[in-house]
Amino acid sequence: QVQLVESGGGLVKPGGSLRLSCAASGFTFSDYYMSWIRQAPGKGLEWVSYISSSGSTIYYADSVKGRFTISRDNAKNSLYLQMNSLRAEDTAVYYCARENYWGQGTLVTVSS
Amino acid sequence: DIQMTQSPSSVSASVGDRVTITCQASQGISSWLAWYQQKPGKAPKLLIYAASSLQSGVPSRFSGSGSGTDFTLTISSLQPEDFATYYCQQANSFPFTFGPGTKVDIK
């Protein structure tokens, strides 16, 4: 069955960096586009980034453009989100998603 | 960017009630709309895609309609497990924006 497991979240100071990973299993990872979506505590859902199946096409939300980088390693069935210059407003649960399948999320807290 | 609005922001309803949630896009998105259900502490669950197609495994009491800029999610007979927050999301153009959500709680 399809499984998406995020990791890499944690507490980081403003201006710091963090790299999230999403391990995929149960499907042919290289056949599917992937996305990151986040949810700040008590708030709604915010789409963050998209990457095509080959990695050749990428999009970002304006709120993270220039600071976050999405990537994937199809040989390792893994999706990544490199987050730099983190701000307090980046505090959220980050989900990786493949169409109708979502991971359980990983919490990123940006605080001094 | 396409902005998504939802109404109402919250609704109190009883088991058995018919509940309707509307979603409006700031510009036409054809039928590129999805509806999600989210319960506290859980990842969102896809209910409807392409505005009116029921995701496999989702009960038939959920239905979606609309195209262009105006969309509706209807729960025909509210069940106890349906108390949750519902989000629409447009998939017509990037960024794939979500609506602000509609919380359905118990009257």
Side-chain angles (χ1 to χ4, degrees):
Chain A
Q1 72 281 20
V2 172
Q3 272 203 307
L4 298 169
V5 180
E6 302 93 339
S7 61
L11 175 63
V12 62
K13 289 181 168 54
S17 297
L18 214 53
R19 188 196 197 203
L20 305 184
S21 299
C22 172
S25 61
F27 65 101
T28 304
F29 183 70
S30 58
D31 284 350
Y32 291 89
Y33 69 83
M34 299 292 296
S35 301
W36 287 99
I37 298 105
R38 68 183 181 182
Q39 187 169 36
K43 302 297 185 183
L45 300 169
E46 181 185 13
W47 176 88
V48 173
S49 186
Y50 159 101
I51 186 167
S52 63
S53 57
S54 65
S56 61
T57 301
I58 286 172
Y59 296 98
Y60 297 100
D62 287 345
S63 57
V64 308
K65 203 174 294 183
R67 301 186 298 122
F68 289 12
T69 302
I70 191 172
S71 63
R72 64 190 296 160
D73 185 335
N74 286 343
K76 294 184 177 180
N77 293 335
S78 292
L79 175 72
Y80 305 102
L81 187 67
Q82 177 67 44
M83 304 186 296
N84 299 331
S85 303
L86 283 162
R87 306 166 180 166
E89 54 265 35
D90 295 319
T91 295
V93 173
Y94 285 74
Y95 296 100
C96 72
R98 186 216 99 176
E99 298 173 333
N100 54 314
Y101 296 98
W102 293 51
Q104 84 290 348
T106 187
L107 176 63
V108 172
T109 303
V110 184
S111 174
S112 55
Chain B
D1 295 359
I2 298 173
Q3 309 303 316
M4 306 299 292
T5 57
Q6 286 182 235
S7 63
S9 57
S10 66
V11 57
S12 294
S14 302
V15 172
D17 283 352
R18 181 182 184 90
V19 173
T20 299
I21 299 168
T22 63
C23 175
Q24 187 169 58
S26 61
Q27 62 190 77
I29 59 170
S30 185
S31 295
W32 293 102
L33 187 99
W35 288 98
Y36 291 87
Q37 176 195 67
Q38 188 181 31
K39 297 181 179 179
K42 299 294 187 181
K45 172 187 174 183
L46 179 66
L47 301 176
I48 302 284
Y49 63 95
S52 60
S53 295
L54 192 68
Q55 175 65 20
S56 176
V58 174
S60 58
R61 62 181 179 272
F62 291 93
S63 64
S65 65
S67 66
T69 60
D70 296 297
F71 302 87
T72 300
L73 173 70
T74 299
I75 310 171
S76 60
S77 178
L78 200 65
Q79 297 302 299
E81 60 267 31
D82 301 336
F83 292 97
T85 300
Y86 294 83
Y87 296 92
C88 60
Q89 182 197 24
Q90 65 85 14
N92 181 75
S93 61
F94 290 101
F96 284 174
T97 39
F98 288 90
T102 295
K103 185 175 182 180
V104 178
D105 60 22
I106 302 170
K107 182 184 275 186

